[in-house]
Amino acid sequence: MADSDDEDFDLIQPSLIQQLRKILDEYPDDGQVLKELIQNAEDADATQVKFLHDKHSYGTDKLYNEELAKFQGPALYAFNNSKFTKEDWRGIRLVCDSIKVEDPMKVGRFGLGFKSVFHMTDLPSLISDSWIGFIDPHGVHFSDRRRIRTGKYWRFDEDRASIDVFSDQFLPYKGIFNCTDEVFSQGYYDGTLFRFPFRQETSDLSETLYNADKMTTLFDSFKADAPLILLFLQSLESVELYTGEESESNPRRIFQVKIAEKCLTTVRGKRKEFLEKITPGKVMPKPVTVSYPITIETINFETH
């Protein structure tokens, strides 16, 4: 029998947090997050990816909301040298679908893999081109009396006054992978830079906590598989790992996997040749193959 207090007969939908928790159940926290971010960079036709485990903590006096202070500590950064498009800004906000679903050539075409970052953070953010945006799945940090907001963005040119008022909010980006004061003053960042501040206490979204030991394990797991990663991609040519110690002012490169310079021109040409033989969205009448030699180099800078 229907509840007499119910005036409508609308379908009952799960909350945003419930939907994200279900996605996290499908993407276990097993060290795949770096690969998921690499796949998203590949889909954007990036050639370079850089990851940074930053151990610094940043100022908390000038924040959009004082409760955001807990996100000013250690974090994982992910950079790629492709810029977000208008479709990307929309696509990253889709919970259970993706703008890539129509393109079978996109490795991360379903978009759910990116949501695995919520294993480590409750407030992912990114800067690209002339925008900087924050995603708040709990809807508590950017909401007001009129509306529950699960995210907020600023434009460098139009929102410069607000950016100056809440300067500590954006401080963690400055000095990371060419994101300088000039980027904020000139209103343009040439690339895409994500920041994932580590969850320090359990939340409704996840009970998983991240710390330095967990990040070391994540990086070590990536190093073990690194030689195979570039073999199956069409754009990416290099992935680098960095660490930022509290005692160091600049990030320090610790590892790189890349396509060797001696065969890079050949690989670029053969990758292009393969893509030209593919018609996205159509079943090919026969298998498409392109053969070429490739040399993958790994460099551990900590042993040099």
Side-chain angles (χ1 to χ4, degrees), residues 250-275:
N250 296 314
R252 175 168 48 88
R253 185 169 58 170
I254 59 174
F255 180 82
Q256 181 180 24
V257 57
K258 66 177 182 177
I259 299 174
E261 290 291 338
K262 64 181 181 181
C263 65
L264 186 55
T265 300
T266 298
V267 170
R268 287 172 175 169
K270 290 296 184 177
R271 283 176 164 181
K272 181 179 179 181
E273 178 184 336
F274 176 78
L275 290 176

Side-chain angles (χ1 to χ4, degrees), residues 3 14 20 28 35-36 50 59 80 90 95 99 114 141 155 161 169 171 204 216-217 222 224 238 250 266 287:
D3 191 331
L20 289 174
K35 294 177 183 178
E36 297 292 349
K50 300 177 182 180
N80 71 71
R90 176 179 178 272
V95 177
I99 58 172
F114 175 81
H141 300 298
R155 292 196 62 170
Q169 191 70 61
L171 186 60
D204 291 341
T216 297
T217 300
F222 173 80
S238 170
N250 296 314
T266 298

Side-chain angles (χ1 to χ4, degrees), residues 94-145:
L94 295 175
V95 177
C96 295
D97 208 339
S98 170
I99 58 172
K100 305 169 188 174
V101 72
E102 299 297 330
D103 190 347
M105 289 303 296
K106 300 299 186 182
V107 179
R109 62 187 181 276
F110 298 115
L112 298 181
F114 175 81
K115 309 305 187 297
S116 63
V117 302
F118 288 112
H119 277 301
M120 71 168 57
T121 188
D122 286 324
L123 192 82
S125 61
L126 72 148
I127 178 174
S128 187
D129 199 352
S130 58
W131 302 70
I132 183 167
F134 292 76
I135 299 173
D136 174 23
H138 291 91
V140 297
H141 300 298
F142 303 106
S143 299
D144 53 38
R145 295 179 179 178

Side-chain angles (χ1 to χ4, degrees), residues 18-204:
Q18 289 173 324
Q19 294 179 66
L20 289 174
R21 286 186 69 103
K22 186 176 185 299
I23 292 172
L24 294 183
D25 287 341
E26 297 173 359
Y27 285 82
D29 183 30
D30 58 358
Q32 296 298 308
V33 63
L34 299 188
K35 294 177 183 178
E36 297 292 349
L37 293 169
I38 286 173
Q39 289 176 355
N40 278 273
E42 165 75 6
D43 289 342
D45 298 324
T47 60
Q48 300 175 17
V49 166
K50 300 177 182 180
F51 294 108
L52 164 65
H53 172 204
D54 183 29
K55 301 179 182 180
H56 291 84
S57 294
Y58 299 88
T60 58
D61 292 334
K62 299 179 179 181
L63 298 176
Y64 183 84
N65 182 321
E66 62 181 15
E67 294 183 1
L68 289 167
K70 61 184 177 182
F71 302 112
Q72 293 293 94
L76 170 70
Y77 292 76
F79 165 85
N80 71 71
N81 63 339
S82 180
K83 294 184 291 293
F84 252 43
T85 64
K86 181 178 180 180
E87 290 75 20
D88 290 328
W89 284 107
R90 176 179 178 272
I92 199 172
R93 296 182 289 128
L94 295 175
V95 177
C96 295
D97 208 339
S98 170
I99 58 172
K100 305 169 188 174
V101 72
E102 299 297 330
D103 190 347
M105 289 303 296
K106 300 299 186 182
V107 179
R109 62 187 181 276
F110 298 115
L112 298 181
F114 175 81
K115 309 305 187 297
S116 63
V117 302
F118 288 112
H119 277 301
M120 71 168 57
T121 188
D122 286 324
L123 192 82
S125 61
L126 72 148
I127 178 174
S128 187
D129 199 352
S130 58
W131 302 70
I132 183 167
F134 292 76
I135 299 173
D136 174 23
H138 291 91
V140 297
H141 300 298
F142 303 106
S143 299
D144 53 38
R145 295 179 179 178
R146 296 173 297 174
R147 178 183 173 188
I148 295 178
R149 299 179 183 274
T150 53
K152 182 173 177 59
Y153 66 81
W154 283 263
R155 292 196 62 170
F156 289 131
D157 50 359
E158 297 180 4
D159 302 312
R160 185 165 299 169
S162 178
I163 291 174
D164 290 341
V165 170
F166 306 118
S167 56
D168 284 340
Q169 191 70 61
F170 312 98
L171 186 60
Y173 276 99
K174 295 185 177 180
I176 307 297
F177 298 142
N178 296 320
C179 185
T180 61
D181 286 326
E182 286 70 27
V183 166
F184 282 80
S185 62
Q186 296 174 7
Y188 176 77
Y189 183 65
D190 189 14
T192 298
L193 179 58
F194 292 92
R195 181 175 184 267
F196 309 113
F198 299 151
R199 183 181 296 107
Q200 304 290 334
E201 55 189 33
T202 61
S203 70
D204 291 341

